């Protein structure tokens, strides 16, 4: 039982801190024979990389991944794959002035209360930098999925920033890669740019909601009753830094519906069962229906802001703090590739699990 | 790796179906020396028991728990505890007419697609009846917590039913046990009774939001970065039947806040750190702060309603269905004790984990 | 992580004590669609059942297994299978006189030192009675193996009792079921009967070596480097009560060989690779070769004997003890079906794991 | 579930191949506050390092360990510790001539049959080089044990090489570090040197038996019934390359004893229970007694020898092979520090587990 691991058969253990020599992911259980190289993983890492535009932290990290094990002649061998990213822009001097203060909204105080150690260098293990390891592992998972089930596509995007929500009627898949916020709505992207620019200049921050969709997932994935597909997705997303809520399909709004409104009626289509709607988010009883798997998660506003706030020191004295580091006004932006990566890992894991438990998708309708 | 298990050191495996001979929970890792008997567990089970009032299913189950192992002379021995509940009111004839039809919104179709077996008896393993096993395990967890940390109190209640929300200003802990909905607001309880009565008579159903709070939890519980306290809570709640969303503290609304509004400032109180607010829901970086641990989850409306809906048969023919069984108009009501039980299991588990990982709470402030 | 569980995907959790109401096995991960009923499992349990002849304990237990969950209309459904055996002949009065004494060679003292609880009723959880649960689970595993790979045959037998060893030249598979010791050598069976009769009458006991062979196992099972087939087999056998040593293939004698003598040379046979010998016991680098998987384990002599021995009481006083219970002069005899059951569980588990990890046996030679 | 991991709370995942860029161990669950640096781990690695004398492989590896995460200001932080060792002397050309042949006694053929990939570079993941990662993790475990229970001492040594056994009457702890074989018998060390020199010159090899003892282990460690201390030790040792048998205490010889001879009688000593002998090897019912924990394991002779043997190619043709690599005539020598490392990891793991399960050692006698 590693508490820094997730996944059942596709098992990812991340390691490393914000300002240590390196961080990475030890990935066990990747199927053999998957074509993989460092460039393929780098592609995904580059999407999360800081300092790419003015809306994300100006920390400059190359985030270059190295594959240290588990491949031979360009394919996976079935043995553990070590993905390492060296920390190059550590600048630990930046953090010296908050050495003895706990930053409100950060895990500084709870890590100290738990472990008795204060790693003041940028949050240590609790830094969002840990998510680089997840994105690397997710890149590998995507390639393994592509090899096994090429129809599956996993896409994340932002649907809400602060009070601003996208217009669902203007939803456009092609817009997602066209703006720095991964917003599927051209008009929103433009408006949000102005809004965020204001926040950045004032040293404030704001929360966001990310939606991640997996299309082409076959029916039958998920392992009731505690390894359900939605259970594992909820855990995967809630484990991401700053996430405070997770929804599947209708999500929290399901509470407002009646049984009639929430019903996804079933009928036969040309290729099997189809549904009149997808309130369920593609999952019934923890098992995929074959519809799109749809989830959302809420990311709280970055806690590091330029407004003075009250806090205490390690020795228990009341004091104040301003966090001047290089931070993201909306950390939700960089959470998009992280959410995608976690979705990819969970989907692959359940594909392998299904094979191990059942062998093949056996229940054929019609 | 059992996919019907949850917990790290306090490990609960549930087993059994809606209409099999029995169901139960195999609990491994309960500390030795905890005073326990069947009546203590029955107390909690009775809260979830069906047929207690007109708002819950009229299936009549005694839900009597038997302890088959793991105790001696009234205390736990440190060995596995088997909690068994026999199914007495099985009436499988009720389900005969839907034998070949998949009920929309239920897991009938996905279980069949996964396993190739159609257990048409009330949903089989996917029935909410499985949660009786969770409540039994949660009762045991509560007693173990009481023995180790008597200040911890875990309470669940309903905060929303359909469009109706409680008035937070009228919040009254003492009201929770005074009405059949576990609502902490006397006026709401009364109004909701009328509303639900109407739903019941019309054969409809509605969703709900449940809040569960753990008071008295010490700082330092939780195991970053994938065994976080909130990660495990999210998984525990999402694994409950019909749950579609989980929130910690501010939850999905965190997306709407700015960093200034979301900040829980810290200052020294007489017994250690205190906070100006609890947007975090008592958890920072996956570790408890010592504040109340606060979560919410949304339960979708019961899918079994008296309105005709379209569906298909096992052989792939389009048809229609009305579900006439004995069902709950708001299954969220009975989800309250289930949510409490899951919270109790997770809290106990993390108390044991903390001891195993760290030994004692070492980081003392001040 | 349940410490009363074994197996990766085919996951068995045993529960129950010698003198509690019942004991059993919660089995998760059995593939769906396997034909199973209570009689099929009872068949294997009856082989381990006490009181069948004068060489095993005269405790009279019906050892009737009930399937409480996980099957429907005669086949497994893919959900947890609960196998329960009620304790009927508990006679706890037998044990009253040793209530405060620790029996040498038993786990009485260590369980007390660990848990602070003295369950004096026949060893409680540490009783060999726990192995009934293993045999029930093994019976289920055998049926699942039969459904997936009907060529696999798993057979255990005794090769040594005290100083007496079988004559390998007289080895006869057909003899195994013809004598109460599961000895594959007719002459040895006869001689050992006299020897054991003498031991029984004198109230002494003796150890034994059991060999278990799995024939027909395909190449490619096993999961390096810590879930190796031999690693899991060693753990499975060492976890059986009274086992003190485990060997794969050549075993401890491998230490005496030179590289030339130990080499299993490879050549092509009509159906693939063949080997000149099987010093490896069918496993190389933790993965099956396709040869017979061969293991042995040593069972220590029953610790309950009629000779007075020194011991201490719970309160720390020196005293003496004679154990007059109903015991086996050679507990190794009843360990044969237990070893077979563990082999069956491990083999099935690795068949499922292989499918989950690799999908199919991909490396074809020739 | 990582199949390249071992341990429950102190969880070690090893990664890396013989000829990849690096290998290492990802260690999760090390308690916080343990003083550690690279030199402390290097000390243990140097004992296993190849090329130290003429009896071990002449492959020249610096085996320098780097700590990439999990420590801050010289102490562990409670987060994952990454121990990396770069491969410097890879010389993969050495292996070119056996590229398409399977080496008898090696895992070449089974890895290919399982994974469909032939990593011909020195055995890839199945190489004994993987054990360097174990020794690094074991070094960390030793320091953590020292911090928690300074009285525990873990020592391994060779007791048999081929037909030669040590003289138990000449046993001398101080001799172990005085000879290249870790033999606790000065006369044997001298004689074995000549014997091994002959083997080396003739290009042959021989097996060995290693004994590992843990002194000062408190009573109460071990987690019945499938996480027993001896179960975990058996798995740990059997997972080491080339190991074919594992014994606890009396081991396989327990089969030859009667109940009277095998009894370890109990009496009260000045500091608690004492025993007249230690046939049990310090473990009863899977839980430590407080006596020395004693185990042995047999290592088969190195399969790479200079004698021509029959084998086959990937394409299924019969052929012959001589393995000319840089190999150990008795790989058992370098297995001594590996066995010690595994013992250290298992003991630490069970110390943490005990704390998590029970809290403190509660059963006090007297």
């Amino acid at each position: 039982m590693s508490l820094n691991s997730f996944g059942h058969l596709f098992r990812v253990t991340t390691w490393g801190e914000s300002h240590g020599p390196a961080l990475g992911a030890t990935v066990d259980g990747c199927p053999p024979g998957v074509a993989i190289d460092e460039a393929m993983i780098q592609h995904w890492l580059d999407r999360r990389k800081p300092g790419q535009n003015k809306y994300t932290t100006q920390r400059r990290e190359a985030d270059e991944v190295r594959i240290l094990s588990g491949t031979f002649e360009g394919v996976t061998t079935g043995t553990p794959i070590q993905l390492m990213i060296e920390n190059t822009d550590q600048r630990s001097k930046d953090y010296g002035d908050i050495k003895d203060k706990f930053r409100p909204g950060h895990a500084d105080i709870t890590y100290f209360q738990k472990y008795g150690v204060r790693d003041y260098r940028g949050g240590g293990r609790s830094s969002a930098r840990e998510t680089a390891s997840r994105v690397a592992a997710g890149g590998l998972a995507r390639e393994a999925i592509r090899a096994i089930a090429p129809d599956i596509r996993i896409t994340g995007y932002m649907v809400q920033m602060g009070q601003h929500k996208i217009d669902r009627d203007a939803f456009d898949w092609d817009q997602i890669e066209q703006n720095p916020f991964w917003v599927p709505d051209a008009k929103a992207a433009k408006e949000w740019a102005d809004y965020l620019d204001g926040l950045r200049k004032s040293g404030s921050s704001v929360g966001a909601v990310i939606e991640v969709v997996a299309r082409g997932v076959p029916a039958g994935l998920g392992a009731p009753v505690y390894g359900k597909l939605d259970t594992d997705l909820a855990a995967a997303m809630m484990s991401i830094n700053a996430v405070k809520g997770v929804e599947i399909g209708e999500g929290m709004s399901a509470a407002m519906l009646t049984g009639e409104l929430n019903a996804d009626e079933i009928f036969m289509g040309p290729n099997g069962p189809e549904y009149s709607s997808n309130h369920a988010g593609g999952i019934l009883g923890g098992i995929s229906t074959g519809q799109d798997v749809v989830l959302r998660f809420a990311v709280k506003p970055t806690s590091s802001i330029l407004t003075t706030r009250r806090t205490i020191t390690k020795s228990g004295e009341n004091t104040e703090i301003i966090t001047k580091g290089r931070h993201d006004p909306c950390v939700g932006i960089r959470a998009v590739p992280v959410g995608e990566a976690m979705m990819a890992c969970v989907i692959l894991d359940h594909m392998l699990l299904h094979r191990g438990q059942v062998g093949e998708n056996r229940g054929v309708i019609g």
Side-chain angles (χ1 to χ4, degrees), chain A:
Chain A
M1 181 187 60
S2 166
L3 296 164
N4 286 277
S5 302
F6 67 94
H8 304 280
L9 287 179
F10 184 78
R11 183 92 176 150
V12 177
T13 304
T14 71
W15 54 272
E17 295 90 41
S18 175
H19 286 68
L23 46 78
T26 310
V27 184
D28 197 15
C30 186
V34 175
I36 194 77
D37 62 23
E38 284 158 355
M40 293 159 95
I41 293 177
Q42 194 65 47
H43 169 75
W44 300 106
L45 263 177
D46 287 347
R47 291 159 58 95
R48 195 212 73 102
K49 200 163 67 175
Q52 305 226 89
N53 56 54
K54 63 184 173 184
Y55 308 110
T56 58
T57 173
Q58 296 307 300
R59 177 171 172 157
R60 304 225 173 264
E61 284 288 358
D63 271 3
E64 273 181 30
V65 67
R66 283 189 63 204
I67 300 177
L68 296 185
S69 67
T71 65
F72 182 59
E73 297 181 340
V75 297
T76 58
T77 59
T79 64
I81 297 167
Q82 183 58 262
L83 305 171
M84 181 178 71
I85 300 160
E86 288 185 80
N87 285 321
T88 53
D89 182 18
Q90 305 179 13
R91 278 208 240 171
S92 57
K93 61 184 178 301
D94 278 1
Y95 295 93
D97 58 331
I98 55 157
K99 206 168 161 174
D100 292 318
K101 295 179 182 178
F102 301 114
R103 295 170 300 164
H106 281 279
D108 298 350
I109 189 168
T110 51
Y111 268 68
F112 178 72
Q113 286 178 303
K114 183 173 194 76
Y115 296 118
V117 177
R118 172 93 177 93
D119 181 351
Y120 50 79
R121 304 166 305 168
R125 178 73 178 149
S126 72
S127 166
R129 183 144 181 71
E130 182 269 342
T131 60
S133 304
R134 303 180 187 224
V135 172
L140 175 61
R142 279 180 184 270
E143 298 304 330
I145 291 171
R146 193 205 308 269
I148 301 173
D151 290 343
I152 295 179
R153 282 165 299 161
I154 292 166
T155 315
Y157 43 86
M158 192 174 284
V159 296
Q160 184 179 342
M161 181 189 285
Q163 309 275 358
H164 308 277
K165 299 186 182 183
I166 63 162
D167 176 1
R168 289 272 173 183
D169 293 331
F171 193 102
D172 180 356
W173 290 103
D174 294 335
Q175 281 298 319
I176 295 171
E177 302 272 342
Q178 306 301 322
N179 62 74
F181 314 119
W182 323 101
V183 178
D185 169 351
K187 189 156 159 262
K190 205 174 163 201
E191 291 167 2
W192 299 9
D194 292 337
Y195 169 61
L196 199 61
D197 217 27
L199 275 178
R200 185 177 59 84
K201 286 173 182 159
S202 68
S204 184
S205 65
V206 75
V209 177
I210 313 304
E211 189 164 280
V212 185
V213 176
R215 291 173 283 176
V217 174
L221 300 192
V225 295
Y226 300 111
K228 288 176 171 174
L229 186 56
D230 39 2
T231 297
D232 283 355
L233 287 171
M237 301 307 155
M238 194 63 95
S239 75
I240 300 172
N241 308 51
V243 172
K244 300 304 286 184
V246 182
E247 300 186 317
I248 303 290
E250 200 61 44
M252 296 305 291
S253 303
M256 289 193 290
L257 299 180
T258 60
E260 291 75 17
L261 290 172
N262 190 58
D264 299 322
E265 292 181 294
I266 316 174
F267 56 91
M268 280 304 282
N271 303 310
E274 293 187 7
Y275 295 81
S276 62
S277 51
N278 190 11
H279 296 284
I283 302 174
L284 281 174
I287 303 175
S288 62
T289 61
Q291 294 176 278
D292 289 355
V293 175
V294 182
L295 66 81
R296 280 176 304 286
F297 58 91
V299 181
K300 71 177 184 182
T302 315
S303 298
S304 298
I305 50 178
L306 288 180
T307 302
T308 301
R309 282 157 304 149
R310 287 182 296 162
T311 191
I312 58 175
T313 64
K314 256 175 70 178
S315 50
E317 283 157 21
N318 287 316
T319 182
E320 294 189 328
I321 193 167
I322 295 180
T323 321
K324 290 184 184 155
R326 303 155 296 173
H327 298 287
D328 300 84
C330 178
V331 77
I333 299 171
R334 289 170 61 216
V336 173
V338 181
E340 288 177 336
M342 298 306 280
M343 174 73 95
C345 290
V346 172
I347 295 286
L348 173 61
D349 188 30
H350 276 278
M351 292 172 66
L352 302 179
L353 257 186
H354 182 78
R355 235 161 45 174
Q357 296 177 294
V358 177
E360 53 190 88
N361 202 331
R362 299 184 350 147
V364 178
I365 294 170

